[in-house]
């Protein structure tokens, strides 16, 4: 399947509305698209695993998950997270090694 890069969100929406997106040209491509959609459903934690979801629902779950990840990455680390006492890499220092 060959992807086309859209230059604007309007162009992307118009492509979907015109039926240019989501219609694989062969049975093999259709099978591959379904495989990738199923994989996406398994990767996104908020997406229900016990029932099939529509493509639109799946895309919304993926968008929400990406937004959550972006927010998490934008949040600075807490002081407690950086000074953990059980760190494997924490160096032990002694005040007087001769005593």
């Amino acid at each position: 399947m060959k992807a086309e890069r859209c230059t604007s969100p309007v162009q992307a929406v118009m492509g979907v509305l015109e039926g240019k997106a989501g219609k694989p040209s062969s049975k093999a491509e259709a099978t591959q698209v379904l495989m990738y959609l199923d994989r996406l459903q398994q990767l996104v934690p908020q997406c229900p695993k016990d029932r099939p979801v529509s493509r639109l629902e799946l895309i919304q779950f993926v968008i929400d998950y990406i937004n959550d990840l972006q927010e998490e990455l934008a949040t600075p680390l807490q002081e407690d997270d950086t000074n953990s006492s059980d760190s494997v890499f924490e160096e032990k220092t002694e005040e007087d090694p001769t005593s």
Side-chain angles (χ1 to χ4, degrees):
M1 174 184 285
K2 193 171 190 177
E4 293 182 32
R5 182 170 297 278
C6 297
T7 57
S8 73
V10 173
Q11 183 183 7
V13 171
M14 290 308 295
V16 170
L17 292 176
E18 293 171 359
K20 292 181 181 175
K23 292 188 177 180
S25 60
S26 72
K27 189 173 183 174
E29 285 183 5
T31 303
Q32 190 175 21
V33 167
L34 291 175
M35 180 188 68
Y36 287 129
L37 290 173
D38 184 54
R39 180 76 175 127
L40 265 178
Q41 184 175 358
Q42 297 304 315
L43 287 173
V44 176
Q46 296 95 332
C47 198
K49 311 292 189 268
D50 59 342
R51 67 174 177 89
V53 294
S54 70
R55 288 181 182 188
L56 185 59
E57 281 181 296
L58 181 57
I59 291 170
Q60 188 60 57
F61 280 120
V62 170
I63 291 170
D64 293 343
Y65 183 53
I66 290 171
N67 285 331
D68 291 346
L69 290 174
Q70 286 177 331
E71 287 177 21
E72 190 67 30
L73 287 173
T75 306
L77 287 175
Q78 297 289 330
E79 187 67 28
D80 294 339
D81 294 342
T82 58
N83 292 331
S84 176
S85 63
D86 59 350
S87 174
V88 175
F89 300 107
E90 184 177 296
E91 289 185 31
K92 303 285 184 188
T93 57
E94 295 180 19
E95 291 181 22
D96 186 11
T98 58
S99 53

